Amino acid sequence: MIGKLNHVAIAVPDLSAAAAQYRDVFGAKVSDPVDLPDHGVTTVFVSLPNTKIELLHPLGEDSPIAGFLQKNTAGGIHHVCYEVVDIGLAADKLAASGMRVLGDGKPRIGAHGKPVLFLHPKDAQGTLVELEQV
Ligand code: CO
């Protein structure tokens, strides 16, 4: 069901320092920061030959990653995102196997304008998993 690794998201306490490290030390192609007010994050995309790294920083008062950064003050891997062809079908299969989809259980439009859902980390090897329809 899952296809390519779309991105690995890393929550960072200092977005410009993180972007500078990926650009200047790791020598990667790094985007300008993009504010996503609807999602409560500012993102920088790092393009790698086979996938992306998404650097995430909280935006606004009730950012969904604020709590994560309070617990992980140096930053850390926040989620991994796998591609699926049909997210509705994926959601049905996951529900049938007892996995919990976060929120109301329905796919919503994610940070890249495509339908996504998130699985409860306790149901997925302790890792927050995002599925994105491509
Ligand atoms: Co993501």
Side-chain angles (χ1 to χ4, degrees):
M1 179 172 79
I2 61 170
K4 287 183 180 171
L5 174 67
N6 185 276
H7 60 271
V8 175
I10 302 176
V12 300
D14 183 335
L15 191 57
S16 56
Q21 181 183 61
Y22 271 81
R23 186 182 56 238
D24 303 332
V25 182
F26 292 155
K29 196 173 151 225
V30 170
S31 79
D32 288 331
V34 180
D35 287 343
L36 298 168
D38 290 353
H39 295 276
V41 292
T42 302
T43 63
V44 165
F45 293 99
V46 180
S47 301
L48 303 180
N50 63 338
T51 191
K52 290 172 287 204
I53 304 296
E54 192 176 283
L55 304 174
L56 298 175
H57 188 74
L59 175 67
E61 289 302 300
D62 40 39
S63 171
I65 64 166
F68 181 90
L69 274 174
Q70 269 157 23
K71 283 185 225 124
N72 304 276
T73 53
I77 294 180
H78 184 261
H79 64 270
V80 295
C81 177
Y82 305 121
E83 297 180 355
V84 294
V85 173
D86 183 334
I87 203 154
L89 199 65
D92 291 346
K93 266 193 188 176
L94 294 164
S97 58
M99 295 183 79
R100 289 166 288 176
V101 173
L102 297 186
D104 63 4
K106 303 232 167 7
R108 63 187 182 91
I109 296 303
H112 316 124
K114 295 181 177 158
V116 301
L117 58 78
F118 285 90
L119 297 172
H120 198 296
K122 291 201 168 129
D123 297 343
Q125 318 309 321
T127 303
L128 180 58
V129 171
E130 178 180 23
L131 298 181
E132 180 173 292
Q133 181 170 296
V134 292

